[in-house]
Amino acid sequence: MTTHSDQELAVRCRGLTKRYGSGDERVDALRGVDLDVRSGELLMLVGPSGCGKTTLISIITTILDQDDGTCEVLGRDVGCMPESERTRFRGEAIGFVFQAFNLLPALTAVENVSVPLLLSGMAREAAEKRARSVLEEVGLAARADALPRKLSGGQQQRVAIGRALVHDPKLVVCDEPTSNLDAKTGHEMMDILRGVARAPGRALIVVTHDNRTFGYADRMARMEDGRVVEVSDGERQEVQP
Ligand code: ADP
Ligand code: MG
């Protein structure tokens, strides 16, 4: 059974709007988005290509500014946050998993996972120790010293998940994490996200239009044409041991 211990909100968006370009080129990417994400839940954000999913999570993760509306993340109004503070907030509180993995090709798996810790000032030895334990959690301990090009797509995505979790963020955001993976690897990835990424009090937003993964959601938010048009309970089924 899913419990939301305190119904605390990790993310609260109201009336968010965002447009790109102007005149003939103008695109209204968000047209008044309301969305709540609870601490401790896995919220899946679904909808057709171009409906505004990446734009919405870019605002939530402070990479992009909204034009209008409010966006509170972990109790902070991110729209009003100065640039210097955003970088720090992002580095401490948020973990990302991208569709394209975005690993640094010259660094080994363990070095890639260490990067967020090194950026926050942790000593190399301590960072690599922590990174190795995270790689073990995602089932990649044996390949910790391999370069990304020596790893399969699924293994590279495990490294990317490890890197997103290594600093123990309160919010993890994954943009189409399974779309470059075959069906079997995609399911493995969702198992890892559900099992490892769901720490107490941590919220997970998974953007996807891969309906094979819908069964992993606590709740689903469906977007259409720049709005969240429906939020429903997920189809999550407990896995039999
Ligand atoms: P999704 O992630 O759901 O596919 P996006 O948020 O990427 O949707 O895009 C929403 C709309 O905004 C689309 O019409 C897209 O073409 C447009 N768009 C996204 N990014 C930009 C940009 N940097 N400049 C202009 N238009 C953009
Ligand atoms: Mg997108």
Side-chain angles (χ1 to χ4, degrees), residues 44-55:
M44 240 175 223
L45 186 61
V46 303
S49 183
C51 71
K53 304 182 297 295
T54 295
T55 301

Side-chain angles (χ1 to χ4, degrees), residues 18-133:
K18 179 71 186 176
R19 77 172 57 121
Y20 298 107
S22 58
D24 284 353
E25 310 272 277
R26 172 173 150 173
V27 178
D28 287 297
L30 300 184
R31 304 191 303 141
V33 167
D34 297 334
L35 180 69
D36 289 342
V37 185
R38 300 166 183 155
S39 292
E41 79 172 341
L42 193 164
L43 180 110
M44 240 175 223
L45 186 61
V46 303
S49 183
C51 71
K53 304 182 297 295
T54 295
T55 301
L56 176 56
I57 62 164
S58 299
I59 293 171
I60 290 172
T61 55
T62 78
I63 289 166
L64 202 65
D65 265 327
Q66 71 267 39
D67 293 330
D68 226 324
T70 59
C71 182
E72 291 167 21
V73 180
L74 305 169
R76 305 284 308 273
D77 186 342
V78 295
C80 301
M81 217 182 251
E83 194 55 45
S84 58
E85 213 174 317
R86 276 166 196 242
T87 312
R88 190 154 55 98
F89 177 72
R90 218 181 286 146
E92 287 173 6
I94 301 176
F96 298 91
V97 180
F98 302 95
Q99 176 175 358
F101 316 143
N102 287 3
L103 300 177
L104 297 166
L107 301 186
T108 63
V110 72
E111 288 167 345
N112 266 285
V113 174
S114 302
V115 165
L117 300 177
L118 298 173
L119 289 176
S120 71
M122 190 184 280
R124 180 170 298 275
E125 203 178 331
E128 292 206 355
K129 190 165 175 237
R130 164 84 185 132
R132 273 181 207 282
S133 80

Side-chain angles (χ1 to χ4, degrees), residues 147-164:
L147 291 171
R149 68 167 183 278
K150 302 281 187 181
L151 300 173
S152 69
Q155 289 173 331
Q156 289 182 49
Q157 192 60 302
R158 284 171 197 246
V159 178
I161 292 170
R163 183 186 51 191

